[in-house]
Amino acid sequence: MSHQKVRDLMSDAVVRVQGGTPFKEIAHLLQEYDITAVPVVDDQDRPLGVVSEADLLYKIRGVREDHADHASGGPSQPDKALATDAAGLMTTPALCAREDWSVVDAARVMARHGVKRLLVVDDGGRLIGVVSRSDLLRVFLRTDQAIRTEIVEEVLVKALGEAPSAVQVDVTHGHVVLSGHLSSRVSAPALEELCRDVDGVVAVEYRPLGGAAEQRRAMRPWDAEG
């Protein structure tokens, strides 16, 4: 199945600064646009790092060394406390996503690095947007009808070669219920797995309508043993 792309969900209105942007200007931008971080770019608009509220707060906390705070990239705490511009404040490297990444790709990178958003770059590495966790969750705003249509057309017909009338597909609030007769070449677990891979699906249940043979095909291979 083809998932939605980052380009479809990202925001392309990105506030950005350069390395020489002064401390107070960054603080004003965070307040003015109600954001918690701002990317730092070079003169080619390529991301170098990110300045967050936490980076600015080192100025309040002072220069006391605390090695536990220096787990991320960029300057150490004392350096950030004394910094006067974005170059001295930013955390590096900037975590970026390509615009053609799927929502799955982006979600995995966010989870791996424990971040809430990713900068989005084009093929030339230039900043074109930002995608957040909340943006990715928009896939669950897909209508039930859109989900049903994709399952019938992309899963049943195109991927599995089944007739669209072979299985009844009902979708309610993202919960998919499949009922009907599968051909001998298709197993219920395979059908369920493909349906779970459709954007916006919350849960999948297959209810076989046939006799014993149909029931066996609906079982997982290890359930059928013995």
Side-chain angles (χ1 to χ4, degrees):
M1 303 308 101
S2 60
H3 293 285
Q4 284 188 271
K5 302 297 184 182
V6 165
R7 70 168 68 93
D8 302 321
L9 300 169
M10 72 179 191
S11 169
D12 57 8
V14 185
V15 179
R16 66 200 75 191
V17 299
Q18 293 193 311
T21 304
F23 182 104
K24 280 202 168 184
E25 184 175 336
I26 297 171
H28 280 299
L29 287 171
L30 297 185
Q31 288 289 320
E32 180 181 352
Y33 291 95
D34 192 25
I35 53 179
T36 59
V38 62
V40 184
V41 299
D42 64 14
D43 55 6
Q44 300 296 316
D45 222 19
R46 293 172 298 203
L48 300 173
V50 174
V51 177
S52 68
E53 291 175 326
D55 295 320
L56 297 182
L57 285 174
Y58 283 118
K59 185 70 70 177
I60 297 175
R61 294 167 59 183
V63 299
R64 180 181 59 82
E65 183 65 71
D66 186 346
H67 295 289
D69 285 337
H70 191 40
S72 59
S76 65
Q77 176 181 333
D79 291 336
K80 289 191 177 188
L82 296 172
T84 60
D85 59 19
L89 291 162
M90 68 182 179
T91 296
T92 59
L95 290 174
C96 299
R98 295 286 183 180
E99 61 178 323
D100 59 350
W101 279 12
S102 72
V103 293
V104 174
D105 295 328
R108 285 174 177 166
V109 171
M110 287 183 187
R112 186 181 309 129
H113 294 277
V115 297
K116 297 179 180 180
R117 63 187 61 80
L118 296 171
L119 304 181
V120 183
V121 296
D122 62 15
D123 290 339
R126 292 176 293 272
L127 180 64
I128 59 172
V130 62
V131 65
S132 67
R133 290 175 180 175
S134 60
D135 292 327
L136 298 186
L137 288 175
R138 283 162 49 199
V139 298
F140 292 104
L141 301 182
R142 293 186 77 192
T143 66
D144 290 338
Q145 182 58 48
I147 293 171
R148 183 185 182 280
T149 297
E150 182 170 347
I151 288 174
V152 171
E153 296 179 357
E154 299 297 323
V155 175
L156 286 175
V157 177
K158 187 175 293 186
L160 298 177
E162 294 285 289
S165 59
V167 176
Q168 175 66 37
V169 180
D170 296 300
V171 184
T172 305
H173 301 306
H175 290 253
V176 179
V177 176
L178 308 161
S179 54
H181 302 276
L182 293 174
S183 63
S184 59
R185 66 179 183 277
V186 178
S187 69
L191 172 60
E192 290 175 339
E193 187 63 28
L194 287 172
C195 290
R196 289 190 191 96
D197 208 31
V198 172
D199 286 341
V201 169
V202 175
V204 180
E205 177 187 359
Y206 175 67
R207 299 173 181 172
L209 298 181
E214 184 76 24
Q215 294 283 347
R216 283 195 295 272
R217 282 200 298 277
M219 296 172 68
R220 292 173 174 81
W222 53 86
D223 293 332
E225 293 177 357

